[in-house]
Amino acid sequence: ILLSFVFALALTHLLSSATELAIAGKRVRFSGLYALWAVNAAILLITNWMAIWGLTAVKRWTAPEVALQSLSAIMQYFTCSTFRVSLANDEDVVDLPVLYQQRRRLISGAFLALAVIASFQNWWDRDNMTGMSPTDWIAEDLVILPMAIAVTLAGWARPIWLQWLAAGGM
């Protein structure tokens, strides 16, 4: 339940920022890349939230298990909070293309850290997930690997077309 609260707070960051931008309306210079990465963050958040259901098979939670799940939820929260937009007053212009370029490495680094943590979690909980065999973690990590490559490209590649390719590939 505690993990679900952290996930709900992360979703609140995404939704409240989208609301702020919608209210600001004409004062916002739109960025498709920023929007696509925010959507990616929301999809990943919901996917990861659904994935924790498999942990209902854990009979005894150890301190390392609690720490790992907490670290994952905190990283999920941080990833979503990188999209936070707060408008101090009604005159502020929000230049999302500039904001995206300023935060690009931070956003990508957060996604990359989340991918590394998720890969480790898959291995760590290989015997704990409901309905999965002990080797299913390998297939799960093979899905995460291209995502990790995509977020690395998005964060550190200069060509915009490559950033778009990475965001779409994610």
Side-chain angles (χ1 to χ4, degrees), residues 2-16:
L2 176 63
L3 296 177
S4 290
F5 279 118
V6 176
F7 279 74
L9 289 170
L11 184 60
T12 300
H13 271 297
L14 292 171
L15 296 176
S16 65

Side-chain angles (χ1 to χ4, degrees), residues 38-156:
V39 168
N40 282 338
I43 291 169
L44 192 60
L45 172 73
I46 292 166
T47 302
N48 288 339
W49 175 73
M50 290 187 313
I52 63 175
W53 176 256
L55 292 171
T56 57
V58 177
K59 301 291 184 224
R60 189 172 145 262
W61 283 72
T62 63
E65 182 71 41
V66 171
L68 180 60
Q69 297 306 324
S70 297
L71 175 64
S72 176
I74 289 166
M75 196 66 235
Q76 184 74 65
Y77 174 88
F78 181 75
T79 301
C80 291
S81 68
T82 61
F83 295 94
R84 184 79 176 115
V85 175
S86 180
L87 303 177
N89 60 52
D90 291 338
E91 289 87 39
D92 287 345
V93 174
V94 182
D95 193 343
L96 289 180
V98 169
L99 188 61
Y100 173 73
Q101 289 304 322
Q102 289 172 346
R103 294 183 184 176
R104 184 167 58 101
R105 289 193 174 122
L106 178 65
I107 291 167
S108 296
F111 271 96
L112 186 58
L114 196 54
V116 169
I117 293 167
S119 290
F120 181 76
Q121 277 181 304
N122 290 339
W123 171 80
W124 179 267
D125 286 317
R126 64 193 178 277
D127 296 322
N128 291 336
M129 298 301 279
T130 302
M132 297 186 71
S133 74
T135 58
D136 285 346
W137 70 273
I138 297 167
E140 289 180 338
D141 280 2
L142 288 175
V143 171
I144 293 172
L145 181 61
M147 292 167 44
I149 292 168
V151 298
T152 302
L153 281 174
W156 288 272

